[in-house]
mmCIF file of all heavy atoms in Angstrom:
data_model
loop_
_atom_site.group_PDB
_atom_site.id
_atom_site.type_symbol
_atom_site.label_atom_id
_atom_site.label_comp_id
_atom_site.label_asym_id
_atom_site.label_seq_id
_atom_site.Cartn_x
_atom_site.Cartn_y
_atom_site.Cartn_z
ATOM 1 N N ALA A 110 1.571 22.843 12.326
ATOM 2 C CA ALA A 110 0.279 23.350 12.785
ATOM 3 C C ALA A 110 0.347 24.640 13.600
ATOM 4 O O ALA A 110 -0.497 25.534 13.416
ATOM 5 C CB ALA A 110 -0.454 22.268 13.578
ATOM 6 N N PRO A 111 1.306 24.823 14.538
ATOM 7 C CA PRO A 111 1.319 26.055 15.341
ATOM 8 C C PRO A 111 1.461 27.334 14.517
ATOM 9 O O PRO A 111 1.092 28.411 14.992
ATOM 10 C CB PRO A 111 2.530 25.859 16.265
ATOM 11 C CG PRO A 111 2.701 24.391 16.364
ATOM 12 C CD PRO A 111 2.332 23.863 15.013
ATOM 13 N N ALA A 112 1.984 27.239 13.314
ATOM 14 C CA ALA A 112 2.182 28.430 12.486
ATOM 15 C C ALA A 112 1.010 28.701 11.556
ATOM 16 O O ALA A 112 1.091 29.594 10.712
ATOM 17 C CB ALA A 112 3.461 28.286 11.663
ATOM 18 N N LEU A 113 -0.088 27.947 11.710
ATOM 19 C CA LEU A 113 -1.217 28.072 10.802
ATOM 20 C C LEU A 113 -2.427 28.647 11.517
ATOM 21 O O LEU A 113 -2.607 28.462 12.727
ATOM 22 C CB LEU A 113 -1.583 26.693 10.222
ATOM 23 C CG LEU A 113 -0.481 25.947 9.458
ATOM 24 C CD1 LEU A 113 -0.973 24.567 9.069
ATOM 25 C CD2 LEU A 113 -0.048 26.721 8.219
ATOM 26 N N TYR A 114 -3.276 29.335 10.752
ATOM 27 C CA TYR A 114 -4.567 29.762 11.265
ATOM 28 C C TYR A 114 -5.477 28.541 11.399
ATOM 29 O O TYR A 114 -5.191 27.464 10.877
ATOM 30 C CB TYR A 114 -5.201 30.791 10.330
ATOM 31 C CG TYR A 114 -4.501 32.127 10.323
ATOM 32 C CD1 TYR A 114 -3.762 32.536 9.207
ATOM 33 C CD2 TYR A 114 -4.583 32.985 11.415
ATOM 34 C CE1 TYR A 114 -3.121 33.763 9.187
ATOM 35 C CE2 TYR A 114 -3.949 34.216 11.403
ATOM 36 C CZ TYR A 114 -3.222 34.602 10.292
ATOM 37 O OH TYR A 114 -2.591 35.813 10.282
ATOM 38 N N GLU A 115 -6.603 28.733 12.088
ATOM 39 C CA GLU A 115 -7.491 27.615 12.373
ATOM 40 C C GLU A 115 -8.026 26.987 11.085
ATOM 41 O O GLU A 115 -8.051 25.759 10.942
ATOM 42 C CB GLU A 115 -8.658 28.089 13.244
ATOM 43 C CG GLU A 115 -9.398 26.959 13.930
ATOM 44 C CD GLU A 115 -8.514 26.184 14.900
ATOM 45 O OE1 GLU A 115 -7.628 26.790 15.532
ATOM 46 O OE2 GLU A 115 -8.715 24.962 14.996
ATOM 47 N N HIS A 116 -8.450 27.813 10.116
ATOM 48 C CA HIS A 116 -8.973 27.253 8.871
ATOM 49 C C HIS A 116 -7.875 26.591 8.056
ATOM 50 O O HIS A 116 -8.115 25.631 7.323
ATOM 51 C CB HIS A 116 -9.669 28.341 8.044
ATOM 52 C CG HIS A 116 -8.735 29.372 7.488
ATOM 53 N ND1 HIS A 116 -8.221 30.410 8.246
ATOM 54 C CD2 HIS A 116 -8.195 29.518 6.241
ATOM 55 C CE1 HIS A 116 -7.434 31.157 7.493
ATOM 56 N NE2 HIS A 116 -7.393 30.638 6.282
ATOM 57 N N GLU A 117 -6.644 27.108 8.182
ATOM 58 C CA GLU A 117 -5.515 26.497 7.480
ATOM 59 C C GLU A 117 -5.169 25.140 8.088
ATOM 60 O O GLU A 117 -4.761 24.222 7.375
ATOM 61 C CB GLU A 117 -4.312 27.426 7.524
ATOM 62 C CG GLU A 117 -4.479 28.700 6.724
ATOM 63 C CD GLU A 117 -3.313 29.650 6.896
ATOM 64 O OE1 GLU A 117 -2.679 29.641 7.967
ATOM 65 O OE2 GLU A 117 -3.031 30.421 5.954
ATOM 66 N N LYS A 118 -5.336 25.009 9.416
ATOM 67 C CA LYS A 118 -5.071 23.726 10.066
ATOM 68 C C LYS A 118 -5.999 22.647 9.537
ATOM 69 O O LYS A 118 -5.574 21.524 9.253
ATOM 70 C CB LYS A 118 -5.240 23.868 11.575
ATOM 71 C CG LYS A 118 -4.151 24.651 12.278
ATOM 72 C CD LYS A 118 -4.398 24.663 13.774
ATOM 73 C CE LYS A 118 -3.320 25.477 14.502
ATOM 74 N NZ LYS A 118 -3.547 25.486 15.965
ATOM 75 N N LYS A 119 -7.285 22.989 9.395
ATOM 76 C CA LYS A 119 -8.244 22.005 8.910
ATOM 77 C C LYS A 119 -7.921 21.576 7.485
ATOM 78 O O LYS A 119 -7.929 20.390 7.154
ATOM 79 C CB LYS A 119 -9.657 22.571 8.980
ATOM 80 C CG LYS A 119 -10.142 22.839 10.405
ATOM 81 C CD LYS A 119 -11.549 23.422 10.403
ATOM 82 C CE LYS A 119 -12.029 23.688 11.827
ATOM 83 N NZ LYS A 119 -13.397 24.279 11.851
ATOM 84 N N ALA A 120 -7.611 22.563 6.632
ATOM 85 C CA ALA A 120 -7.298 22.241 5.236
ATOM 86 C C ALA A 120 -6.017 21.424 5.130
ATOM 87 O O ALA A 120 -5.941 20.450 4.374
ATOM 88 C CB ALA A 120 -7.174 23.529 4.427
ATOM 89 N N THR A 121 -5.003 21.798 5.918
ATOM 90 C CA THR A 121 -3.735 21.076 5.887
ATOM 91 C C THR A 121 -3.889 19.673 6.440
ATOM 92 O O THR A 121 -3.303 18.715 5.922
ATOM 93 C CB THR A 121 -2.671 21.838 6.693
ATOM 94 O OG1 THR A 121 -2.593 23.182 6.228
ATOM 95 C CG2 THR A 121 -1.309 21.185 6.544
#
Side-chain angles (χ1 to χ4, degrees):
L113 302 175
Y114 290 109
E115 197 63 34
H116 69 281
E117 292 175 331
K118 288 183 181 180
K119 295 179 180 179
T121 307

